[in-house]
Amino acid sequence: MKRLLPLIALVALSGCGLRPVYGGGSHGAVAQGLGHVEVLDIEGKSGWLMRNALNDRLSNLSNGNGPSYKLVVKLDDQISGFGLRSDAAITRERRTLRARYQLIDEATGAQVLDDTAGSDAGIDVTSSEYATIAAEDTALERLSQIVADQIVNRLALYATRKAAAQAPAPGGQ
């Protein structure tokens, strides 16, 4: 019976309509729909981290033969203090990274996607200024990875929906 349960679960999942987003590799809907995405330069240290994170994730799609796109990203990176001791010293900070991104079809110049992504992280402020700065930098690196994941997931969802909308109806009609 224990061996039968995973098999039943697989059969049930295949019938529910769930499909892997990256199914088909370079021949799948995401690679065919996005083909090649060029991430334009982004200002500042946070922009450099974000662009590298996005390029790392999007390099797998560059083998596709679909249309080419430009990805324009504008970042808002903020640090705010909110924990206070009795002597008014800050004990906690929140680093927030927000991205507004636009996907532009290079062939037509049309903006096909305009969305935002973001995340935040808490930082302990210590008596060591070096440790606090290191924690702020580590938070920025982690936030860049999280926000890049959100952006790439949204691009993959766009490509999947675009492919589904262009697919012929069942039965070839």
Side-chain angles (χ1 to χ4, degrees):
M1 184 66 174
K2 288 183 181 180
R3 294 181 188 169
L4 189 58
L5 286 176
L7 183 59
I8 293 171
L10 282 174
V11 170
L13 276 177
S14 66
C16 73
L18 289 177
R19 302 284 179 261
V21 171
Y22 295 103
S26 64
H27 300 291
V30 174
Q32 295 300 315
L34 293 177
H36 177 72
V37 177
E38 177 189 1
V39 182
L40 299 182
D41 289 338
I42 309 168
E43 281 185 32
K45 179 180 182 179
S46 59
W48 180 81
L49 289 167
M50 178 64 65
R51 186 168 189 260
N52 285 342
L54 287 167
N55 281 330
D56 287 346
R57 286 154 178 79
L58 293 170
S59 64
N60 295 332
L61 301 177
S62 65
N63 296 332
N65 58 6
S68 294
Y69 294 95
K70 289 183 182 178
L71 184 63
V72 179
V73 181
K74 293 187 176 145
L75 294 177
D76 180 24
D77 179 21
Q78 300 287 326
I79 298 177
S80 57
F82 64 91
L84 295 176
R85 291 191 314 224
S86 59
D87 63 352
I90 295 174
T91 60
R92 217 48 203 141
E93 292 177 337
R94 172 174 286 129
R95 185 162 208 158
T96 305
L97 184 65
R98 301 279 180 253
R100 178 171 182 214
Y101 57 97
Q102 298 165 324
L103 188 64
I104 300 169
D105 186 333
E106 284 189 338
T108 64
Q111 177 181 305
V112 295
L113 184 64
D114 185 358
D115 209 346
T116 59
S119 190
D120 61 354
I123 302 165
D124 288 326
V125 176
T126 64
S127 59
S128 166
E129 189 175 331
Y130 175 77
T132 302
I133 291 170
E136 290 171 353
D137 286 346
T138 301
L140 178 59
E141 291 170 13
R142 189 174 61 248
L143 291 171
S144 297
Q145 300 293 321
I146 291 169
V147 174
D149 283 339
Q150 292 174 3
I151 292 171
V152 171
N153 288 339
R154 180 62 179 93
L155 294 178
L157 183 60
Y158 163 77
T160 303
R161 288 182 176 164
K162 179 181 170 189
Q166 294 175 345
Q173 305 205 7

